[in-house]
Amino acid sequence: MKTDLELRTHISKLHRLTVRKSIEQVLWATLLLALIFNTVALGLQKTGIIQWEGHAIYPLLLLISLAFSALYNLNRKKSFKDTLIDIDIRLDLKERLTTVYEYDQLGRKSLFMDRLVKEVISLLGSLKGKQIFPRHFTTVHLLIPVFIIMFIFVLAIDLSPRASEQESATTEKLKQIGIELEKFAKQARPEKAGAEKETQKELIERMEAIARAIQEGSIKEKRLLKSLDGIMNRSESERKRLTKRLGEELSLGDISNIPALQDLQKNKPSATELVRLKKELKDLFGGEVPPSISKDISNLALHHEMAQFLKGAMEDVGADFKEETTQTSSGSMSRPPRQTKDHPEASEDRPAGDEESLFTAGRGRAEAEKQAPYDLEGLKKSALKDKGVSGRGDRYNTSVRSLPAIGRARLKEEEVIRAYQTEFENVLQKEDIPLLYREYVKQYFLSIGMGEEQEGNGDT
Amino acid sequence: MATHNEKADAIRAHFDQINAELSKIIVGQTQLLQNLFICLLCGGHALIEGVPGLGKTLIVKSMSKVFNLKYSRIQFTPDLMPADILGTNIINEDEKGNRYFEFYKGPIFGQIILADEINRATPKTQSALLEAMQEERVTVFGTEYPLEPPFIVIATQNPIEMEGTYPLPEAQIDRFFFKLKVDYPTSEQLSEIIDKTTEDYEPKMHSIIERDSILEMKTLVKQVPMASHVKDYAIRLVLASHPDDNYPIKKAKKYVRFGSSPRGAQSLVQAAKVWALLQGRYNVSFEDIREVAKPALRHRLILNLTAEAEGIDADDIIEDILGGVPIKVRS
């Protein structure tokens, strides 16, 4: 009985050693595979063939290597008896170990078994773990330093200068966007607390967080666009809410006879419309607008400005995805998006749906164009297919008549002209009217009589 | 009373004593003696092949003295008849004048039978040994006569290419446990042989072991444990001797007409057990199987004409098999 117990203790020890050796083999193989996979992944990234999002790919490859190696070893795993046969052969035990193990397992009897068991116990007792499972230098051990060197080499060298330059340009651009975001957030941060200010504060904080992430380099273009899009959506919904509330406040005050109020029917009044509304309300209230209304108008103006700023920023980031090779300059951050040749209608007077689709983060203009016909369908304004523009897909021009029909005018002509003059000046103040077009714009306003001193009492 | 282990140890000790005793008369041939001892303990018979004058008869005769067993010698000649071996019924007359048949036992009724130059007798006479060798009994005129154990036939033969010989039938060859080859002595051994045989040298042989001890050892040998993968190896060796086996043994495929019979596997395993005990071990190893492979299988391989034409013998093929069959296959 004692010898049986001793034998089983030794067999258990061998079992443990076998398991340990298997784990060691799996780990070595994992290390080798992980080195191979990571070297390849790093090489692909460095050559610019594949751009991995973040660094998660490397631990993922390690896990894949572990899975591969474990599966391979499981598939090739020897039975315990095979392991014992190996030990018998390697240590020249003359099959004593396997014979004893087999007779013990199967309960077979032999007159010589006691003697044999004692011999095996004595042999196993004199052997150390290293003798039973000697460490062999295998191909895996040889390949590991080779791939470590290769990995370090790939890590150290710059495989694609062009890709590197491109990357640094992108980084530089993102940094610039970060600075602008920070600057904007600083300027727009509300000084006093309040219900609306909380939303503003939240948006500003999100912008600051993004700015910080850009500075730290922990955010890429796609994620940046997504984040900016999130802020803009939040700002837009706040803008809609404020517009609605302003409309309700004005309705409650029985103020319905001012023309600018009609602009509030739109969800997102433009800056000019807000200026006009404020001016008309000032006139109506005799020089002083009630603070609640004034505050709403200011908030709306801020959200409008924020939306314009975000649009500009997103266009700059998004433009890089589409036109990576052209590397166009992003321009100023504080201005609204430029009118482009492809999008002559992309002004701030665009309908809400169209505007959103054009400047949705990460989707770029292509999708906006794809959605344009749907957005235009529901418009009250006339939308005409523009056959004069060549390029992909259909283009639409929205024609807005500048003057109402005669006989239905409610404002004096000079007021209309003054409003246009203000707008004209505002527009001219902005830099994003291309230099070549300024003359045309100027001529347009002159043609409708803004350049001369106009006087008259009749309605227009 | 001696334990099993002590008895097992005694086997080796006995062999050493036997070897020492026989070396008084026989020069060299240790391996031959060892293999004959294995045959005795396994209950098998041995076929010794060698040119005349190598001491084959002397070895067997000396062995009978050492083992203290009843010894019979049958000199096979072309005119030898089966009755000369088995015995026959003769008409006898009692005191009253009544006649009756009385069985007159032939030389087969011994314990160590030396069938000297067995291939000189006709196949009919050679076949007279078949029943005795397989079942340890003889049947004469419908009456069975058991042979006294331990019973071992040690046949000697001259190489078959010599004139005036009759090749043994395959069925009879297969009944021999081992086929042993007697090597020609080295010059030193030859010198010693001359000294011992031409001078006044008459050593006295002593009995080393008794009949009962041999029978006891025969029982004990069967108890030697053997792992299943070692047994599988023996089986794979035997199967590899067949030309249509899956193992790519070139020589077996090219030169063998028929491979070993199942008796070959039995001989391998039994002989390996005794071999292990003689090596001081209590289990069979791969090495034991390999050691006894040649004597156990060489007479069981029936070679084709190509082998004869190219001078290939069974030992060459067995070496090829031993080299080609892996010791270990994954379970």
Side-chain angles (χ1 to χ4, degrees), chain B residues 91-112:
Chain B
I91 298 172
N92 212 345
E93 198 175 82
D94 61 10
E95 292 166 356
K96 293 175 185 173
N98 297 325
R99 290 182 178 179
Y100 62 93
F101 279 110
E102 187 181 354
F103 182 63
Y104 188 81
K105 289 180 179 178
I108 195 77
F109 287 87
Q111 286 174 307
I112 291 186

Side-chain angles (χ1 to χ4, degrees), chain A residues 85 88-89 92-99 116, chain B residues 224-234 237 268-277 279-293 322 327:
Chain A
I85 293 173
D88 259 338
I89 294 171
D92 197 23
L93 302 181
K94 306 284 183 200
E95 286 63 66
R96 284 186 179 96
L97 185 56
T98 35
T99 307
L116 203 56
Chain B
V224 175
M226 180 169 68
S228 58
H229 59 282
V230 181
K231 185 174 74 186
D232 287 344
Y233 178 62
L237 285 180
L268 268 182
V269 170
Q270 274 184 289
K273 286 184 175 185
V274 183
W275 183 272
L277 287 176
Q279 303 307 308
R281 273 185 286 107
Y282 303 95
N283 72 302
V284 181
S285 74
F286 294 119
E287 195 184 289
D288 302 327
I289 298 281
R290 295 168 70 87
E291 282 293 336
V292 298
L322 290 173
I327 281 179

Side-chain angles (χ1 to χ4, degrees), chain A residues 116-142:
Chain A
L116 203 56
V117 168
K118 278 179 190 165
E119 278 185 7
V120 168
I121 290 169
S122 163
L123 279 168
L124 290 177
S126 64
L127 292 172
K128 289 178 182 172
K130 281 180 186 173
Q131 285 173 295
I132 295 168
F133 290 113
R135 296 184 189 283
H136 293 297
F137 188 77
T138 62
T139 319
V140 173
H141 297 110
L142 180 73

Side-chain angles (χ1 to χ4, degrees), chain A residues 261-426:
Chain A
L261 197 56
Q262 287 175 0
D263 295 328
L264 279 181
Q265 302 305 317
K266 296 193 294 181
N267 279 334
K268 289 184 269 181
S270 66
T272 320
E273 286 162 358
L274 287 171
V275 168
R276 198 176 75 181
L277 178 65
K278 199 167 184 180
K279 186 172 176 299
E280 284 175 6
L281 286 171
K282 221 175 206 175
D283 292 346
L284 189 72
F285 288 112
E288 195 170 337
V289 183
S292 64
I293 294 172
S294 174
K295 200 168 71 183
D296 280 349
I297 292 171
S298 319
N299 285 340
L300 269 172
L302 178 71
H303 281 292
H304 172 75
E305 199 183 339
M306 189 183 285
Q308 295 307 311
F309 172 78
L310 290 171
K311 278 175 202 171
M314 284 165 68
E315 191 184 29
D316 287 342
V317 179
D320 276 4
F321 282 104
K322 280 190 70 181
E323 300 161 20
E324 277 181 355
T325 48
T326 56
Q327 287 291 306
T328 52
S329 172
S330 61
S332 169
M333 287 298 303
S334 55
R335 55 173 172 72
R338 298 172 298 257
Q339 288 185 340
T340 63
K341 192 180 175 183
D342 285 344
H343 295 83
E345 72 281 15
S347 70
E348 62 181 26
D349 280 336
R350 284 177 60 84
D354 202 359
E355 196 173 49
E356 273 183 351
S357 62
L358 264 174
F359 299 105
T360 304
R363 279 179 278 168
R365 289 177 191 160
E367 270 192 49
E369 283 164 6
K370 200 164 64 185
Q371 291 172 1
Y374 298 96
D375 296 331
L376 289 168
E377 270 176 12
L379 283 179
K380 287 175 185 173
K381 294 171 185 176
S382 56
L384 301 171
K385 195 167 183 179
D386 188 355
K387 293 175 181 172
V389 180
S390 62
R392 293 169 300 162
D394 296 329
R395 299 288 189 276
Y396 291 87
N397 273 336
T398 308
S399 304
V400 183
R401 295 179 70 154
S402 59
L403 294 173
I406 295 167
R408 292 173 63 190
R410 292 178 186 174
L411 288 175
K412 287 179 181 177
E413 190 186 359
E414 57 266 27
E415 285 180 13
V416 174
I417 289 167
R418 203 177 298 128
Y420 268 102
Q421 193 171 9
T422 313
E423 181 65 14
F424 165 53
E425 284 166 359
N426 282 342

Side-chain angles (χ1 to χ4, degrees), chain B residues 173-228:
Chain B
I173 286 188
D174 197 38
R175 279 168 172 78
F176 283 104
F177 189 82
F178 271 1
K179 180 181 178 183
L180 307 170
K181 284 187 173 178
V182 187
D183 298 325
Y184 201 82
T186 60
S187 59
E188 291 81 14
Q189 287 171 341
L190 195 55
S191 167
E192 199 179 338
I193 289 167
I194 291 166
D195 291 344
K196 282 183 176 175
T197 52
T198 59
E199 291 173 8
D200 187 19
Y201 177 75
E202 283 188 16
K204 198 175 180 186
M205 303 288 287
H206 295 100
S207 169
I208 301 293
I209 190 168
E210 295 299 319
R211 172 184 173 272
D212 290 343
S213 297
I214 294 170
L215 293 176
E216 204 172 4
M217 280 194 280
K218 275 180 76 174
T219 315
L220 206 60
V221 161
K222 291 177 181 170
Q223 289 288 325
V224 175
M226 180 169 68
S228 58

